[in-house]
Amino acid sequence: MSRFFVTPENVGENRIVIDDRDDIKHMTKVLRLSEGDVIDISDSVEWEYAARITDMSGDVVEAVILDKQRFAAEPDIRITLFQGIPKQSKMETVIQKTVELGVSEIVPVFTARTVVADKGNFSKKLQRWQRISDEAVKQCGRGVIPQVADAMDLAGMLKRLGEFDLVLFPYENEKSVTIKDALREHVDDVSTIALIIGPEGGFSDDEADSIVGAGGISVSLGKTILRTETAGMAAIAMVMYEKEL
């Protein structure tokens, strides 16, 4: 069943209005939906609905609510991924797959070893990355679209780490503490997690020291060294196993 996202203001007592032009175009031109078809709708905050289309004749689509439920596919744990920006299309893969796995927010981070540079058109990358997040959510049936935040440098990231109950820093030089150790030590008192992943070249020693100094827990993800586009996915899957399953 197709899923669409609206704001809570578009949801009435019995009816929902869809006014996003791209969604309406997708409904009419691609999915070829018509009056009487049933669709899934999320209010992007708390509720999801089954609704039957009643009117597609104007600039908006109207649907009558058949069923209302709290989100069934949203994890209780909120994970923010601070991702050292990788080159080429790897970031797109990271966004798509981590959204499917349950990430709540993705923050691109420029580090000392980041190959990608902001040449004045980085905002276009951010717009494309947000569209990838939007599409991934619709495919996997989640109720909230994770936001791809504006890119920041390491100093900006460090300032944000105090927002989280737990800061996990998968680091290739960590040999004693595993992500399982860290999660099980904090299993009962964590609802927000920051996950910090470096770019292809990893973090410099000074950057690693700064992250640990700001409260990050250096952890191992296993015996092998994972690529940057693999590490975030693996770590999120491990967190979800420990906290959600």
Side-chain angles (χ1 to χ4, degrees):
M1 189 182 299
S2 303
R3 169 157 293 203
F4 299 92
F5 289 79
V6 299
T7 62
E9 292 75 20
N10 286 42
V11 181
E13 184 175 351
N14 298 306
R15 291 183 175 273
I16 300 175
V17 172
I18 299 173
D19 55 10
D20 183 274
R21 291 183 179 179
D22 290 336
D23 280 346
I24 294 172
K25 181 179 179 181
H26 186 68
M27 295 170 76
T28 57
K29 303 297 184 182
V30 179
L31 298 176
R32 299 190 180 278
L33 297 174
S34 59
E35 294 177 8
D37 288 334
V38 176
I39 56 177
D40 278 343
I41 301 176
S42 165
D43 71 357
S44 306
V45 177
E46 183 179 8
W47 299 98
E48 56 190 9
Y49 304 84
R52 178 177 288 112
I53 298 172
T54 57
D55 188 354
M56 301 184 74
S57 60
D59 295 332
V60 300
V61 171
E62 295 186 14
V64 62
I65 296 171
L66 304 176
D67 185 56
K68 174 183 177 180
Q69 302 288 338
R70 292 187 185 277
F71 293 146
E74 279 301 306
D76 294 328
I77 193 78
R78 294 185 56 83
I79 302 174
T80 294
L81 172 65
F82 291 93
Q83 173 68 52
I85 303 170
K87 59 186 178 182
Q88 299 176 344
S89 62
K90 294 178 181 178
M91 189 69 174
E92 298 179 7
T93 301
V94 168
I95 292 168
Q96 183 186 68
K97 301 308 179 186
T98 57
V99 167
E100 291 177 13
L101 288 165
V103 76
S104 297
E105 180 189 20
I106 299 167
V107 184
V109 181
F110 286 103
T111 71
R113 296 175 181 170
T114 299
V115 176
V116 177
D118 184 355
K119 299 179 180 179
N121 62 347
F122 202 79
S123 61
K124 293 183 179 179
K125 287 183 181 288
L126 291 173
Q127 291 172 8
R128 172 164 175 74
W129 291 344
Q130 186 61 60
R131 286 197 299 271
I132 290 171
S133 177
D134 296 352
E135 292 166 1
V137 162
K138 292 176 181 178
Q139 182 276 324
C140 68
R142 290 182 58 184
V144 177
I145 299 175
Q147 295 301 298
V148 180
D150 289 339
M152 60 180 59
D153 59 15
L154 188 79
M157 182 191 76
L158 295 177
K159 290 179 181 179
R160 282 202 57 188
L161 296 186
E163 302 173 12
F164 302 94
D165 299 327
L166 181 65
V167 179
L168 297 175
F169 171 39
Y171 188 40
E172 64 270 19
N173 293 334
E174 179 59 54
K175 304 301 181 184
S176 57
V177 179
T178 67
I179 190 170
K180 178 173 69 174
D181 296 332
L183 288 168
R184 292 188 175 179
E185 181 178 349
H186 299 276
V187 66
D188 295 324
D189 56 356
V190 170
S191 60
T192 59
I193 293 178
L195 181 63
I196 302 172
I197 303 294
E200 285 93 345
F203 288 104
S204 68
D205 291 342
D206 287 343
E207 288 176 323
D209 290 342
S210 296
I211 293 169
V212 173
I217 300 175
S218 175
V219 297
S220 168
L221 297 181
K223 296 180 180 179
T224 60
I225 297 175
L226 303 180
R227 294 178 183 269
T228 183
E229 65 268 31
T230 308
M233 300 180 210
I236 291 172
M238 294 173 188
V239 171
M240 291 299 175
Y241 175 79
E242 287 292 333
K243 299 292 290 183
E244 295 284 333
L245 300 180

